[in-house]
Amino acid sequence: MTWDSKLIDRANQIIELYPQKRSALGPLLYLAQEKEGYIDDDSVVEISKLIGITEVQVRSVASFYTMYKQEPSGKYLISVCKSISCEINNSREVIESIKEFTGLANNETDVDNTFTFEEVECIGACGGAPAVQVNYETVEGMTPTKALELCKYLKEEVPKVIVADHLQDKFGGTKSFDWAIEDNSGTSSTAPGFQIIGTSEEN
Amino acid sequence: MTENIKFTVNGNELEAKSGELLIEACEKSGIHIPRFCWHKRLDPVGMCRMCLVEVETPRGKALVPSCTTEITEDLVVDTESAVVTKAQEGILEFLLINHPLDCPVCDKAGECPLQDQTMAYGPGESRFVEEKRHFEKPIPISEIILLDRERCILCARCTRFSDEISGDPLIEFIQRGNKTEVNTFPDEPFRSYFSGNTVQICPVGALTSTSYRFKARPWDLKKVSSTCNCCSVGCSIELNTSQNKMLRILGEDNEFTNQGWLSDKGRYNFDYLHSENRVLNILSKEEDSFSKISISDATEMIKNKIAELDNPNIKFILGSSSTNEEYFVINEIANYLNKDKFLSKDSSNIYFGDDLLFEGYFGDQYSQAKLEDLDSSETIVVWAEDIKDNLPILYLRIKKAVKNGSKLIVFGHTNTAIAGLADFYFGKDIVSNKFELIRNPNEIEDLKNNIEGKKVTVITGKSTVFQKKESLDKLINYLNEKAELKVFNSFSKGNTFGALQNIDEVKGLNEFCNEFDTNAKNIVFTIGVNPVNSSYFSQKIKENLIASDFVISLDLFVNETTELADLILPTTSLGEKEGTVTNMEMRVMKQNKILPAPGSTLSEWEYLVSILNVLGENVNYKNEIEINNYLSEQYKNQEKVPTFDNLNKPSNLFGVLNKKDININIKDLKEDNFSLLMVRRLYGDSSTQINSPSISMLGAHKFIELNSTTAKKYGINSKVGNFIQGPNSILINIEINEYLPDDLVIAPINRRGFEDIDPSLDFNITEAKNREELNVN
Ligand code: SF4
Ligand code: FES
Ligand code: FES
């Protein structure tokens, strides 16, 4: 879908933050993902016009980084870390229990578009391994049982906004370190919640 | 000047400039380091790691890529150590993991850097037993380029070329890791004027040309260096033939001109040589149909006609594809035929078939610019037709200079590609006829600072045929006074400068129309030119040719002009004749012969010499060399005469700069406010292009450009419409370009259908109505 004037306004505000237009590419791709759940061709065209680079240059970046989705995801994108710290802290079993609950293999989305499941490389939460993300909101100190509870919660309660701190309180274990300030903002889409580009939501 | 510094390679002490890349410095000293991604005309990226060498560092020996390592004082390098050899083998083994090794069916085999370097540096055996990566192959990424993604080794030469050099990055890497591939965006094909260069620099057979695919093996090709005649940059090329067929044209790296690059027009415009439409016999018209006759009958016929008409006006309209030697002979015959009639010099009978010819800035007053001056200019000023469409490689040279810091000031009627690079752009409001600084309008002071006392190169011409020379004069005078000025005249077609140089006095097509006397007896020669198509004066010229008593056309095809002729003398073309051409710097370069003249075609000079002989003037030039000797006598710099001999030496690929006074006699056309601007596009409907199947479709698209306000005035909402003038109605695509001023419509002059349009007359644009009409694209 082409972008409406509201979204274009938001995009222009983001572009203003940078000395060069093309530097806004990363955040603009998140806008597209927030809107469509993935980076669709129409958004690529819009972005290329907004920042003056070619469509294929936009697509090149969008397809390089795995956090930009190239296909529609479910409402909740569950990413489980399988890199070394998590692996030695039992992420295998966390993965297995999520797979069992959702019935999904790596990189699959279920039929009613609730879950997309993916195994990912280190998400920078090694101190709190094993770590899981729901729509890029991180929960640390996961266990297979807590992971099941997390999935059930998502499926039954269908929370509109996902907030890391809330998930951590409910389902998490040891944290890598205390982030000190309570953060109430999360995300209501599969784009990571960033206040500065307006993809985060208050809860 | 950067100081030379010493460094050691494989135990030998060498010298290089500080900051020079290791791979380049070694190359200069004869030490070849294998590479895939590094290319001397592209920025280094260090993508492929094939160029790893060992250098000594404070922490011991280390492998570094020589294409990204700059030479430092006393650097110690080993390019042949056991570690280096092992690295090279390893890299090649990795590169070959996913490479299909389909060399037997690959066009590149035999000249493939991957094949050659695997032979020279590879491990010899593969340990890879797993399944290779597969892609659909090949996929067309444009009308003329195919991509086999399986073969790609991800060197990023093609993507860097399109980004850094040509500035139209329509191909990029997609995905990452093992899945990485080069590709385009859906519905955005790799439509670049320069796309063929990526085929030439791809180090494997991933990018191929439709025109050459499966045509030949490199070891079967016959090759000769020559000079391209598509525009007046005069790019150095290599002609490749097999079994007397031209199969491919490659760019040669000539430091002074094209630096290895070619426009796709220059690269792919050759299929016509073997077109079945080509005229291969002398044709004489009897009652509206042509029949074959012999050369002796033809020359007799001309002689009789001249006698019968009793002192007729004999006029010559020339094209731009003749060699200097041919122009020299044309000048001779023109002088001979008119010796009784025209005694004074100001009544030349030779007209050049280019609408945009103007008097130019030659002579002692202005110093002739060379292409290399662009690199050292602090400021470049362009006042000409769209450079990208008319002098594509000059566009690349300007783009390079701008990238390296030269300031660019552009004056133009429309927002053209070159204006996109400009620091200061003066767009012309076609209605009020005033140039206004559009970009950075508050920085006139800054603009002055970039001109006054600076090294300035100006590329000057006309942006439309109707422009007055006066305004250009003002600009040139100002620049000449304030800056250290060098001038290019931007006559863009083929060997225009060769014509100006070898013909005593040249006039324009407008003069032809003005001077044509329908009450007199007229004989007209057209030589390699089709002014009845793609010219502002098409209609008038057509009328004049029809009114002429006898028309003789020397050409390759039956086209809008030659079909009006009474006699068609079929001529030779690129690769079938030998001679010199002169480029926009006045550099004289060699065109070489590699194909036999097909059928009973002859070179233009051969026809003209036989005509002179039949008329009783005894000229006996036996070959091009003899003509070249005569014409060289007129050059100013007699120590460096561009003879065939010295231009053929490889060291003189670059040609010899040479000059002679130039005499153009053209009156300005009246300048009115036009709302229709006809511009020349790179691709069009020239006889050579429409008879070259691999690129003919590139010039087929008919379109006009206007802004949305103007579109509204014509009541147009759809993307297709009709362009109407008098009895002509052309189905067109309508492209909205908001950069254009209100009330201006831009149309291509060299596209089918527009040949009968007169920009000075009224026209109308309507929306397409029925379904059939809406189906055009
Ligand atoms: S297509 Fe050829 S030039 Fe382009 S990245 Fe692949 S190997 Fe290099
Ligand atoms: S290894 Fe899992 S977060 Fe770093
Ligand atoms: S040539 Fe140096 S890394 Fe490719």
Side-chain angles (χ1 to χ4, degrees):
Chain A
M1 272 218 312
T2 45
W3 290 16
D4 58 21
S5 59
K6 240 171 100 190
L7 197 56
I8 290 183
D9 284 347
R10 270 177 72 192
N12 282 326
Q13 278 164 20
I14 294 171
I15 293 169
E16 301 250 301
L17 301 175
Y18 296 90
Q20 282 191 19
K21 283 187 169 193
R22 60 189 293 157
S23 310
L25 175 55
L28 295 189
L29 286 169
Y30 279 139
L31 283 197
Q33 184 149 319
E34 181 192 31
K35 176 166 159 289
E36 292 292 322
Y38 71 113
I39 315 294
D40 61 322
D41 283 355
D42 285 340
S43 298
V44 169
V45 174
E46 292 281 355
I47 293 171
S48 90
K49 275 193 246 156
L50 282 165
I51 59 176
I53 64 178
T54 62
E55 287 93 341
V56 74
Q57 288 179 311
V58 177
R59 178 54 81 197
S60 180
V61 172
S63 64
F64 183 85
Y65 294 103
T66 52
M67 279 170 75
Y68 298 127
K69 297 298 166 200
Q70 299 185 61
E71 274 159 32
S73 311
K75 188 167 169 56
Y76 303 114
L77 169 67
I78 305 184
S79 321
V80 187
C81 175
K82 59 164 184 178
S83 282
I84 186 130
S85 305
C86 294
E87 172 76 32
I88 55 182
N89 281 293
N90 221 4
S91 62
R92 251 318 104 200
E93 283 180 35
V94 173
I95 288 174
E96 285 315 317
S97 72
I98 294 176
K99 276 185 166 176
E100 202 182 295
F101 181 88
T102 58
L104 296 174
N106 190 17
N107 285 323
E108 274 185 2
T109 301
D110 56 12
V111 276
D112 56 0
N113 284 325
T114 308
F115 291 116
T116 296
F117 165 72
E118 62 176 5
E119 296 170 26
V120 295
E121 302 303 337
C122 182
I123 48 180
C126 311
V132 169
Q133 289 181 326
V134 178
N135 294 352
Y136 302 116
E137 295 287 308
T138 308
V139 203
E140 295 167 275
M142 228 348 123
T143 63
T145 349
K146 287 284 180 190
L148 272 187
E149 282 172 27
L150 169 64
C151 292
K152 245 185 240 155
Y153 160 78
L154 294 172
K155 179 134 197 152
E156 280 157 18
E157 311 264 314
V158 200
K160 203 175 155 280
V161 181
I162 301 292
V163 183
D165 280 3
H166 296 179
L167 297 187
Q168 184 69 35
D169 288 346
K170 282 200 176 103
F171 309 103
T174 328
K175 273 175 89 171
S176 38
F177 57 87
D178 202 334
W179 301 88
I181 32 164
E182 170 106 354
D183 188 0
N184 251 341
S185 62
T187 176
S188 61
S189 72
T190 51
F194 290 119
Q195 264 159 4
I196 190 150
I197 62 168
T199 50
S200 74
E201 296 283 330
E202 288 290 318
N203 192 31
Chain B
M1 276 298 286
T2 36
E3 296 258 313
N4 271 8
I5 50 173
K6 289 191 169 48
F7 70 114
T8 310
V9 182
N10 305 338
N12 303 318
E13 198 166 272
L14 301 175
E15 275 196 6
K17 289 201 187 71
S18 161
E20 207 172 341
L21 291 173
L22 191 46
I23 195 169
E24 214 167 2
C26 286
E27 183 99 356
K28 280 186 193 152
S29 310
I31 299 161
H32 180 81
I33 299 173
R35 81 291 300 259
F36 291 110
C37 66
W38 186 74
H39 186 284
K40 76 168 179 182
R41 302 286 179 195
L42 302 173
D43 292 344
V45 272
M47 226 38 207
C48 71
R49 315 315 266 189
M50 190 61 214
C51 65
L52 290 175
V53 293
E54 254 191 318
V55 298
E56 276 170 24
T57 76
R59 286 183 294 168
K61 287 189 170 183
L63 280 174
V64 298
S66 57
C67 72
T68 54
T69 306
E70 290 180 1
I71 307 265
T72 48
E73 189 82 55
D74 297 330
L75 189 72
V76 179
V77 187
D78 196 332
T79 70
E80 293 167 339
S81 69
V83 176
V84 170
T85 312
K86 189 160 181 216
Q88 289 168 340
E89 286 187 3
I91 296 297
L92 276 166
E93 193 171 1
F94 275 127
L95 285 177
L96 292 176
I97 278 184
N98 272 314
H99 190 79
L101 292 174
D102 57 346
C103 312
V105 294
C106 178
D107 286 318
K108 200 80 175 186
E111 55 180 10
C112 173
L114 182 61
Q115 203 178 39
D116 295 346
Q117 299 192 118
T118 301
M119 286 295 290
Y121 305 96
E125 232 167 82
S126 169
R127 292 177 290 177
F128 189 74
V129 291
E130 288 79 6
E131 176 81 7
K132 294 197 182 220
R133 204 172 46 164
H134 291 295
F135 286 111
E136 181 196 331
K137 66 183 285 183
I139 51 168
I141 54 171
S142 75
E143 287 90 343
I144 52 177
I145 310 279
L146 297 165
L147 170 64
D148 282 281
R149 288 165 292 175
E150 290 177 329
R151 293 179 185 154
C152 171
I153 57 165
L154 306 176
C155 67
R157 280 187 173 191
C158 56
T159 52
R160 276 178 292 151
F161 172 84
S162 65
D163 189 17
E164 290 166 22
I165 307 288
S166 65
D168 36 25
L170 295 167
I171 45 172
E172 249 304 349
F173 286 143
I174 305 291
Q175 308 288 357
R176 69 143 100 175
N178 188 45
K179 288 195 200 149
T180 315
E181 57 177 279
V182 171
N183 215 328
T184 53
F185 189 70
D187 301 329
E188 276 300 321
F190 186 31
R191 276 200 193 119
S192 159
Y193 282 174
F194 306 98
S195 63
N197 294 298
T198 63
V199 175
Q200 190 173 338
I201 61 175
C202 177
V204 294
L207 291 162
T208 46
S209 308
T210 51
S211 60
Y212 181 70
R213 205 171 159 91
F214 305 136
K215 285 280 164 63
R217 287 310 197 178
W219 54 85
D220 289 332
L221 293 174
K222 231 171 98 186
K223 301 173 177 181
V224 71
S225 290
S226 193
T227 304
C228 179
N229 210 16
C230 278
C231 77
S232 57
V233 172
C235 298
S236 289
I237 52 176
E238 185 187 86
L239 306 177
N240 289 184
T241 65
S242 173
Q243 298 175 28
N244 287 337
K245 272 200 139 192
M246 184 83 76
L247 293 184
R248 178 169 78 166
I249 295 177
L250 295 176
E252 274 183 351
D253 196 319
N254 183 338
E255 177 62 36
F256 293 113
T257 56
N258 56 323
Q259 306 192 329
W261 312 128
L262 288 183
S263 74
D264 288 353
K265 177 95 175 280
R267 185 181 299 271
Y268 296 120
N269 196 28
F270 63 81
D271 287 346
Y272 70 87
L273 290 171
H274 313 294
S275 163
E276 55 182 27
N277 297 330
R278 194 161 161 194
V279 182
L280 297 176
N281 292 292
I282 299 176
L283 300 178
S284 143
K285 193 187 270 165
E286 277 159 47
E287 293 176 3
D288 280 349
S289 75
F290 284 111
S291 55
K292 290 184 207 170
I293 63 165
S294 70
I295 172 88
S296 48
D297 287 351
T299 46
E300 263 326 293
M301 185 187 272
I302 295 170
K303 179 183 169 185
N304 295 341
K305 260 295 168 221
I306 294 175
E308 174 194 322
L309 291 174
D310 187 27
N311 204 14
N313 288 328
I314 303 180
K315 293 171 185 286
F316 293 79
I317 306 180
L318 309 186
S320 55
S321 57
S322 309
T323 60
N324 291 343
E325 288 69 23
E326 288 171 327
Y327 288 127
F328 179 78
V329 177
I330 292 169
N331 191 51
E332 298 264 284
I333 191 172
N335 284 342
Y336 172 78
L337 289 176
N338 291 285
K339 65 172 181 274
D340 306 327
K341 238 184 155 115
F342 303 112
L343 291 170
S344 75
K345 271 273 178 249
D346 59 339
S347 44
S348 167
N349 53 344
I350 302 184
Y351 306 87
F352 197 72
D354 186 352
D355 298 335
L356 284 153
L357 209 61
F358 60 100
E359 278 178 5
Y361 301 91
F362 296 100
D364 302 331
Q365 207 181 348
Y366 307 103
S367 109
Q368 166 73 50
K370 287 187 256 154
L371 288 162
E372 62 189 305
D373 292 326
L374 293 170
D375 297 331
S376 54
S377 304
E378 287 155 287
T379 303
I380 299 168
V381 181
V382 175
W383 179 321
E385 296 175 277
D386 190 2
I387 300 287
K388 193 172 176 182
D389 272 285
N390 291 283
L391 292 154
I393 297 299
L394 177 64
Y395 171 80
L396 294 191
R397 292 294 305 255
I398 295 173
K399 187 168 180 299
K400 179 180 167 198
V402 169
K403 190 178 167 208
N404 293 335
S406 305
K407 292 273 179 253
L408 179 64
I409 304 171
V410 173
F411 293 83
H413 268 298
T414 58
N415 205 313
T416 53
I418 191 86
L421 304 175
D423 299 283
F424 303 94
Y425 171 56
F426 289 84
K428 190 171 190 180
D429 182 345
I430 192 112
V431 183
S432 73
N433 241 327
K434 278 207 184 83
F435 275 115
E436 261 170 51
L437 187 51
I438 290 182
R439 200 160 308 151
N440 293 345
N442 300 323
E443 292 171 21
I444 288 282
E445 269 313 301
D446 191 14
L447 179 79
K448 274 194 193 154
N449 294 337
N450 277 304
I451 291 174
E452 300 185 358
K454 298 283 166 104
K455 283 190 191 161
V456 176
T457 300
V458 54
I459 295 143
T460 177
K462 290 185 170 190
S463 55
T464 75
V465 66
F466 298 102
Q467 211 164 62
K468 276 207 180 112
K469 191 168 164 269
E470 255 168 41
S471 34
L472 273 87
D473 282 340
K474 270 191 209 151
L475 175 76
I476 301 274
N477 285 339
Y478 164 73
L479 295 174
N480 201 27
E481 207 174 287
K482 303 284 185 192
E484 204 181 305
L485 182 68
K486 295 203 170 173
V487 183
F488 272 124
N489 292 287
S490 71
F491 305 131
S492 60
K493 292 202 192 144
N495 193 20
T496 307
F497 290 89
L500 303 182
Q501 187 169 240
N502 290 292
I503 289 168
D504 298 340
E505 185 187 328
V506 169
K507 293 180 181 172
L509 287 179
N510 54 327
E511 302 294 303
F512 177 84
C513 299
N514 292 344
E515 292 171 5
F516 195 87
D517 180 0
T518 31
N519 298 321
K521 300 282 177 214
N522 291 297
I523 293 182
V524 181
F525 282 84
T526 72
I527 304 184
V529 66
N530 183 4
V532 179
N533 188 23
S534 315
S535 161
Y536 281 95
F537 312 105
S538 293
Q539 282 313 299
K540 284 186 200 120
I541 290 169
K542 188 174 183 176
E543 286 159 21
N544 292 344
L545 290 183
I546 292 172
S548 299
D549 297 275
F550 200 65
V551 177
I552 303 146
S553 288
L554 284 72
D555 219 318
L556 304 168
F557 292 96
V558 174
N559 58 32
E560 293 79 357
T561 300
T562 56
E563 71 183 6
L564 303 176
D566 298 284
L567 190 60
I568 302 182
L569 306 175
T571 52
T572 52
S573 185
L574 185 74
E576 299 164 350
K577 59 182 179 184
E578 195 178 8
T580 58
V581 292
T582 305
N583 83 348
M584 62 188 308
E585 319 164 274
M586 292 292 165
R587 191 182 295 280
V588 179
M589 287 175 294
K590 187 78 197 298
Q591 281 190 339
N592 282 316
K593 182 173 162 148
I594 189 169
L595 293 170
S600 34
T601 60
L602 292 174
S603 289
E604 291 160 10
W605 69 268
E606 292 176 294
Y607 285 117
L608 300 175
V609 166
S610 4
I611 296 170
L612 277 174
N613 284 333
V614 170
L615 293 174
E617 168 83 354
N618 230 346
V619 284
N620 41 15
Y621 305 123
K622 278 187 230 50
N623 50 37
E624 290 94 340
I625 301 187
E626 274 187 29
I627 309 175
N628 181 262
N629 287 340
Y630 281 104
L631 79 84
S632 296
E633 281 168 18
Q634 52 180 347
Y635 288 130
K636 276 187 175 165
N637 182 351
Q638 284 297 334
E639 281 122 68
K640 268 197 153 188
V641 167
T643 62
F644 278 20
D645 195 33
N646 71 26
L647 290 178
N648 260 336
K649 286 182 193 137
S651 60
N652 253 333
L653 174 69
F654 308 142
V656 179
L657 288 172
N658 228 309
K659 263 210 283 212
K660 167 189 175 264
D661 284 338
I662 280 171
N663 188 0
I664 311 175
N665 184 357
I666 279 187
K667 280 181 218 86
D668 262 341
L669 270 114
K670 69 176 172 33
E671 186 177 26
D672 273 323
N673 296 334
F674 287 98
S675 49
L676 177 65
L677 181 59
M678 301 199 72
V679 300
R680 197 167 295 280
R681 301 287 174 179
L682 182 64
Y683 300 118
D685 59 354
S686 65
S687 316
T688 57
Q689 192 181 339
I690 57 176
N691 286 299
S692 294
S694 59
I695 55 162
S696 54
M697 65 296 206
L698 299 177
H701 185 56
K702 288 174 209 156
F703 63 100
I704 57 160
E705 290 174 77
L706 33 65
N707 72 15
S708 51
T709 320
T710 318
K712 230 179 248 149
K713 276 193 193 161
Y714 285 104
I716 296 165
N717 292 311
S718 74
K719 284 187 167 170
V720 274
N722 288 297
F723 183 93
I724 299 164
Q725 188 181 64
N728 304 302
S729 171
I730 314 163
L731 203 52
I732 40 157
N733 281 83
I734 295 164
E735 288 174 14
I736 302 294
N737 179 350
E738 299 299 1
Y739 289 114
L740 298 179
D742 288 356
D743 293 326
L744 179 66
V745 175
I746 302 220
I749 193 169
N750 55 339
R751 293 278 157 107
R752 274 286 118 120
F754 288 96
E755 61 271 14
D756 293 336
I757 302 303
D758 184 337
S760 57
L761 301 179
D762 286 343
F763 63 92
N764 194 17
I765 304 165
T766 58
E767 258 191 66
K769 279 169 230 84
N770 57 43
R771 263 181 110 193
E772 204 181 24
E773 287 183 345
L774 287 167
N775 268 336
V776 271
N777 55 54

